[in-house]
Amino acid sequence: MRDLASRLPSSPGFWRSPLRGPRFTSVLGLVLLVGVPVLFVTGLLSYAAYNPGLSPVNDKTPDKGILGFYLFSWPTDPTWLYRLTQGVHVTLGLALIPVLLAKLWSVVPRLFTLPPVRSLAHALERISLLLLVGGALFEFVTGVLNVQLDYVFPGSFYPLHFYGAWVFFAAFLAHAALKTPAAVRTVRSMRDARRRHPDAADQAADQTADQAADDLVAPAPDAPTVSRRGALWEVGGGSLLLLATSAGRSFDGPLRSTALLAPHGGAEPGGGPNGFQINKTAAYAGIDPAETGEEAWRLVVAGRTGTVRLARADLLRMRQHGAALPIACVEGWSTADQAWRGVRLRDLAALVGFDGDPPDVFVESLQRAGSFRHGALRANQVADPRSLLALSVNGGTLSPDHGYPARIIVPAAPGVLNTKWVARMTFGGLA
Ligand SMILES: Nc1nc2c(c(=O)[nH]1)N[C@H]1C(S)=C(S)[C@@H](COP(=O)(O)O)O[C@H]1N2
Ligand SMILES: [Mo]
């Protein structure tokens, strides 16, 4: 019987890696202590940047209740704001995967401890750990699937990732409050030990002495195949590799080709003035070239004083303005500034009776299906002189894949609000 028991994962003797122990776990834990709040904050910023409080069409989480307490008007400056916040969110999230996995590996024996529940307090602690581990895995998996596989969660990624983030972060805060002091003490004592005993053998003895009491330490460890430092370097190396192969997705030119992990399944943008990344092609969005021709296409602008219908030639006769702005997608990729040219959104608002302060606008495209076929922009975004209904880019006519005949471009906003193939704009029509 005893023999069998020691072969089950519920027995401490089952776990034999000499790496496990408070030192390994503490170092990884402290890295996550810094990294996870950055992911949480940049995630909440991304959520706010979608203008979910503005209109039901922007809001994928109508039941958010008080979780939307912090929502604010996303600014239009600096123009690279969303490039930065979302680039950090996605790239850091990917780079932390090895750290998260190593951390979970380091504490996995605790999953099997018997009896599973010793007291009410212990039960509560275990439930919070379930939310912590489940929440962490859920957030990382949904995030990776969304950026790598592109829309495996049509429409539903946002609520899943949003509510999951709150569950994960609440459990994370409780866990951090309980464990950080001990982790800091452990890491300090490692540093002190290195100072006292530069000799590796002494350090090992030291380690055995003060780890013996911890349940993570294997009572009968196998011979080490890698030192703790070596293992931490491997984890860090894995993170750096992920960083190096994904950070390029936030840049143009040769750097983008270093983003080996960024999905390349999309359309090849080709060269020329429109030679930058395409999210969804006109064909994918079901845009029929017949509906975008000079004869067929009209922009309908609605507002206080009624409705105006404009051909592309009418728009080209209006005062043209330029703006150098990037496209920054929620998936973490972004482009450098492109030179857009077209009509100011606030000039279009003026056509339908909003001369002074332009209001919010609801933008609809020719696209008939898909959750990004329409979007709402806030008054501060409409008022910005760099916010355009773009007709050309980098000196060339907008290509069909980049939104011909006309598309929205707004400084600092997430790509999803840069609606392509615009057909109708309703100013002040959001109430
Ligand atoms: N009509 C429409 N506009 C759209 C989309 C869409 O699916 N349909 N995708 C948006 C998203 S998510 C992004 S990131 C940008 C990408 O613009 P690009 O393809 O020109 O790079 O377009 C936005 N405009
Ligand atoms: Mo996007």
Side-chain angles (χ1 to χ4, degrees), residues 151 276-280 285 327-330 333 340 365 367 372-373 401-402 407 415-421:
Y151 313 112
F276 56 95
Q277 178 139 354
I278 295 162
N279 183 327
K280 288 190 210 145
I327 289 199
C329 181
V330 67
W333 62 263
W340 304 94
S365 71
Q367 206 180 331
F372 303 152
R373 71 184 188 279
D401 289 339
H402 282 304
R407 80 171 301 166
V416 69
L417 295 179
N418 297 154
T419 310
K420 306 196 271 191
W421 316 294

Side-chain angles (χ1 to χ4, degrees), residues 50-106:
Y50 267 66
N51 289 343
L54 186 56
S55 150
V57 296
N58 290 17
D59 193 358
K60 316 280 187 251
T61 52
D63 303 319
K64 62 190 166 302
I66 57 159
L67 296 184
F69 73 94
Y70 72 95
L71 290 176
F72 56 98
S73 300
W74 188 249
T76 54
D77 270 301
T79 55
W80 40 262
L81 181 61
Y82 193 74
R83 257 189 111 181
L84 177 74
T85 62
Q86 196 59 10
V88 166
H89 186 73
V90 169
T91 306
L92 179 65
L94 288 169
L96 285 178
I97 290 172
V99 182
L100 177 75
L101 293 180
K103 173 73 165 62
L104 292 178
W105 172 86
S106 79

Side-chain angles (χ1 to χ4, degrees), residues 94 238-249 256 258-262:
L94 288 169
S239 286
L240 285 179
L241 193 68
L242 283 169
L243 191 71
T245 50
S246 30
R249 75 177 79 205
R256 188 177 309 273
T258 65
L260 302 174
L261 286 181

Side-chain angles (χ1 to χ4, degrees), residues 280-306:
K280 288 190 210 145
T281 61
Y284 181 98
I287 306 299
D288 181 349
E291 45 184 351
T292 59
E294 291 288 340
E295 289 305 310
W297 184 81
R298 292 292 179 273
L299 174 71
V300 178
V301 185
R304 190 152 53 193
T305 52

Side-chain angles (χ1 to χ4, degrees), residues 24 32 80 106-107 136 189 207 227 238 256 265 279 283 325 339 345 349 391:
F24 193 61
L32 292 173
W80 40 262
S106 79
V107 294
S189 84
Q207 167 171 355
S227 69
R256 188 177 309 273
N279 183 327
L325 298 172
L345 297 188
L391 304 168

